[in-house]
Amino acid sequence: MRSIERSEEALDLYRRAIEVDETAVQYREYLGEYLHELKRQDEAIAVWESIAAGDRRNVDSLIRLAEVFHTFKLTDRSLACWREAAALDLTFRQELRYANQ
């Protein structure tokens, strides 16, 4: 649907894919990417933030969210996710400290 410029249908398909498998991060990434492409930034950010929302909020999901934000030049949001991931896992924080030396 994306390739034939049927954006609303494409968005609906992404949303349905998320409903079918709420744990599949890639569909949230794709939906956010497409919303970003459509210049619907606030919606894109909200979808991306759902990657690490609720029960899904953990070190791994925060790191993935940080990477997504970085890809789309949302540096402040990316760094906030990295900080939160480090706060949740002391081992991870030590690894970051080592990497900065």
Side-chain angles (χ1 to χ4, degrees):
M1 293 296 160
R2 265 176 93 161
S3 64
I4 60 172
E5 298 183 19
R6 295 186 65 176
S7 58
E8 290 308 313
E9 289 93 338
L11 292 171
D12 286 340
L13 289 172
Y14 284 127
R15 289 184 182 111
R16 279 196 271 169
I18 291 168
E19 287 175 14
V20 169
D21 186 359
E22 292 187 8
T23 64
V25 173
Q26 72 267 24
Y27 299 126
R28 294 172 195 277
E29 289 181 31
Y30 299 156
L31 175 57
E33 175 187 333
Y34 192 44
L35 288 164
H36 177 79
E37 185 179 309
L38 295 171
K39 309 289 188 233
R40 294 164 65 171
Q41 304 297 54
D42 292 342
E43 290 176 76
I45 289 169
V47 168
W48 286 326
E49 287 178 338
S50 73
I51 290 170
D55 293 341
R56 291 183 301 278
R57 195 166 202 83
N58 57 48
V59 172
D60 292 333
S61 66
L62 285 164
I63 290 171
R64 185 65 201 132
L65 182 55
E67 293 169 343
V68 169
F69 282 148
H70 175 74
T71 299
F72 291 92
K73 310 291 189 249
L74 298 167
T75 306
D76 290 344
R77 290 178 185 277
S78 177
L79 290 173
C81 291
W82 281 110
R83 275 192 295 278
E84 188 173 347
L88 290 176
D89 184 345
L90 183 58
T91 304
F92 178 66
R93 186 181 310 173
Q94 297 302 335
E95 290 171 5
L96 283 178
R97 182 178 293 146
Y98 177 74
N100 283 327
Q101 294 182 3

